[in-house]
Amino acid sequence: MSPRIGVLALQGAVAEHAQALTASGAEVRTVRRPAELDALDGLVVPGGESTTMARLAAPVRMMEHIREAQHDGLALFGTCAGLILLAREVADPEALAGFPRIGGLDVVARRNGYGSQQDSFTEPLDIVGLEEPLEAVFIRAPVVEEVGAGVQVLAESRGIPVALRAGRMLATSFHPELTDDPRLHRLFVEIARDA
């Protein structure tokens, strides 16, 4: 049976994630309101602007509802800005001050840690569990500054963790949805199916 996976559709690379998840065997829905979290096995929090997503989510308390659903077993996959919204702590929280985040991933992350849009780059990464390197696209990517004991580092770039897993949570500093390689989405489909 195909797991039901939502893509938070407030802003960001929604269509690209939906396409990769569909190709990986998931039944995909876009999610804009708390009621749309019902009956999901997993949720992707996409890349984009973490501040924009937090602000758009605030009126309906979307981040709080996602946090509650996660406590009830919802698997989560955060990419780029999604990692920021999942992080336990943001090292430069000023832009997000007053706006709830999801939290739950025991890391400290810094927004735009690799620099501006002009500092974007791609890099082949060796990722735990994947036989061949995955080409990773970094665009205004967050830097993970601290990793808690319960978080597994799946890949590093320049000595910095960029792919992480903690139980039913998966997170990357990069954008796996911007390539034709679906292997991380397949991994998340399996995590959601097991959840």
Side-chain angles (χ1 to χ4, degrees):
M1 185 172 180
S2 297
R4 293 175 297 259
I5 299 180
V7 180
L8 186 62
L10 301 177
Q11 192 260 342
V14 175
E16 292 87 349
H17 276 295
Q19 183 176 4
L21 290 165
T22 300
S24 299
E27 177 187 325
V28 181
R29 303 175 183 175
T30 55
V31 174
R32 293 180 181 85
R33 296 184 306 276
E36 293 167 339
L37 294 169
D38 293 346
L40 290 181
D41 301 301
L43 178 72
V44 172
V45 184
E49 293 283 344
S50 58
T51 52
T52 299
M53 283 192 270
R55 289 168 194 259
L56 291 172
V60 294
R61 300 183 66 243
M62 192 71 193
M63 298 301 169
E64 295 94 328
H65 285 284
I66 294 171
R67 187 182 314 128
E68 291 168 11
Q70 190 265 337
H71 286 302
D72 291 337
L74 181 71
L76 295 174
F77 183 11
T79 64
C80 197
L83 184 153
I84 292 288
L85 295 171
L86 293 180
R88 167 180 52 83
E89 182 180 337
V90 179
D92 51 337
E94 297 79 16
L96 289 162
F99 293 98
R101 294 177 302 103
I102 300 161
L105 182 64
D106 190 10
V107 301
V108 177
R110 181 174 298 277
R111 299 169 62 250
N112 304 324
Y114 286 93
S116 69
Q117 189 90 8
Q118 294 178 351
D119 300 305
S120 301
F121 64 97
T122 61
E123 178 183 341
L125 296 178
D126 292 318
I127 298 179
V128 173
L130 302 185
E131 292 183 8
E132 300 292 331
L134 181 141
E135 193 71 18
V137 179
F138 291 82
I139 303 171
R140 296 179 60 203
V143 166
V144 175
E145 296 185 344
E146 294 178 28
V147 177
V151 179
Q152 179 187 12
V153 176
L154 301 180
E156 293 185 348
S157 171
R158 307 171 188 183
I160 299 169
V162 295
L164 308 150
R165 181 172 179 187
R168 295 182 309 273
M169 298 180 80
L170 186 64
T172 62
S173 293
F174 55 90
H175 292 267
E177 77 282 4
L178 297 183
T179 72
D180 293 328
D181 190 333
R183 288 179 291 165
L184 280 179
H185 287 87
R186 284 184 198 147
L187 172 60
F188 184 62
V189 168
E190 290 306 313
I191 292 170
R193 182 178 282 122
D194 292 343

